[in-house]
């Protein structure tokens, strides 16, 4: 009887192993599980103002056998008019004076490159707004199928230095800290969080 059960156990293990070997899985970008948050800074003491973009469109290949492959292949477009800081008056000024300082296409476009393969690592975030382009070093952390990407963008590198000045002039008093100096910092922290779908056949 023991021999029979041992044989049955080996048969079941072999069957499950065969099924696992035949499993064909792909990872897929899921827009409903993706967010892009930003933190701008005002006052000399560098107080953060948080917000996000409500409209992010991904083009190109959104599926790959590797989760790293998905991250490297996607190309995204952010509608700058979808900026959302939970303050409608502030958002209107950001659209008009900051992003509106650059004529033409108001979409912020980008992709990732030079991504290291591993659960933690680095990559380059390549951005374009209007005719200005820049590459920003970013860090990423994977937790199973969810990736968190963080980095800092100098808005002057994507042609928004003039817009920063216009926005600060418009909100001059609102950007005065304890020292009475009106200041809007040129650096913005960004964080992207995305959970990929894993589809197996």
């Amino acid at each position: 009887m023991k021999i029979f059960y041992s044989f049955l156990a080996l048969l079941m293990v072999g069957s499950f192993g065969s099924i696992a070997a035949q499993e064909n899985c792909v990872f897929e970008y899921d827009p409903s599980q993706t967010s892009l948050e930003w933190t701008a800074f005002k006052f000399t003491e560098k107080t953060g103002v948080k917000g996000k973009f409500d409209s992010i469109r991904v083009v190109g290949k959104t599926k790959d056998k590797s989760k790293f492959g998905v991250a490297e292949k996607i190309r995204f477009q952010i509608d700058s008019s979808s900026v959302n800081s939970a303050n409608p008056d502030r958002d209107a000024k950001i659209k008009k004076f900051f992003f509106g300082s650059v004529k033409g296409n108001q979409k912020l476009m980008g992709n990732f490159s030079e991504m290291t393969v591993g659960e933690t690592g680095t990559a380059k975030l390549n951005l374009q707004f209007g005719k200005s382009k820049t590459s920003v070093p970013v860090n990423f952390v994977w937790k199973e199928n969810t990736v968190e990407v963080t980095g800092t963008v100098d808005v002057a590198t994507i042609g928004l230095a003039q817009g920063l000045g216009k926005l600060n002039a418009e909100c001059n008093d609102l950007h005065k800290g304890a020292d009475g100096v009106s200041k809007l910092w040129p650096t913005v922290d960004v964080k992207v969080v995305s959970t990929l779908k894993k589809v197996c056949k």
Side-chain angles (χ1 to χ4, degrees):
M1 186 63 70
K2 288 184 178 180
I3 294 175
F4 172 76
Y5 282 123
S6 296
F7 175 75
L8 183 61
L10 287 172
L11 183 63
M12 291 177 66
V13 170
S15 297
F16 283 123
S18 176
I19 292 172
Q22 295 174 6
E23 188 177 56
N24 184 22
C25 299
V26 295
F27 293 90
E28 183 177 356
Y29 170 79
D30 184 354
S32 68
Q33 297 297 316
T34 301
S35 65
L36 192 162
E37 301 175 358
W38 51 264
T39 303
F41 300 94
K42 62 181 181 179
F43 307 155
T44 301
E45 50 265 46
K46 205 172 185 180
T47 299
V49 176
K50 294 182 178 295
K52 61 181 180 176
F53 288 101
D54 292 330
S55 176
I56 305 172
R57 179 172 175 247
V58 165
V59 296
K61 293 183 178 180
T62 59
K63 298 180 182 180
D64 195 87
K65 292 183 178 180
S66 162
K67 60 186 181 183
F68 308 110
V70 175
E72 286 185 326
K73 288 179 179 178
I74 61 173
R75 304 289 184 272
F76 60 84
Q77 297 179 354
I78 300 168
D79 185 350
S80 64
S81 68
S82 73
V83 66
N84 182 354
S85 67
N87 183 322
D89 183 58
R90 178 196 292 139
D91 293 340
K93 291 176 181 177
I94 292 173
K95 295 173 192 177
K96 180 178 179 179
F97 298 102
F98 184 61
F99 290 116
S101 66
V102 176
K103 294 182 179 181
N105 190 341
Q106 290 295 296
K107 288 183 172 57
L108 184 64
M109 298 179 286
N111 70 288
F112 295 100
S113 63
E114 299 181 30
M115 178 173 283
T116 56
V117 177
E119 297 305 300
T120 62
T122 60
K124 287 288 183 65
L125 170 59
N126 307 304
L127 294 172
Q128 179 177 355
F129 189 69
K131 296 181 180 179
S132 298
K133 299 179 181 180
T134 189
S135 291
V136 180
V138 294
N139 298 307
F140 66 81
V141 177
W142 287 92
K143 293 181 180 178
E144 295 183 349
N145 299 336
T146 299
V147 62
E148 180 177 298
V149 183
T150 55
T152 300
V153 178
D154 184 337
V155 300
T157 63
I158 48 174
L160 288 167
Q162 185 180 20
L164 187 74
K166 288 183 176 181
L167 181 60
N168 195 48
E170 178 65 21
C171 305
N172 183 69
D173 290 337
L174 296 174
H175 294 163
K176 287 182 180 178
D179 59 3
V181 176
S182 181
K183 185 172 181 63
L184 186 58
W185 293 74
T187 52
V188 177
D189 290 348
V190 295
K191 180 172 75 171
V192 179
V193 179
S194 183
T195 300
L196 304 180
K197 289 181 182 178
K198 186 178 181 181
V199 182
C200 299
K201 296 181 180 180

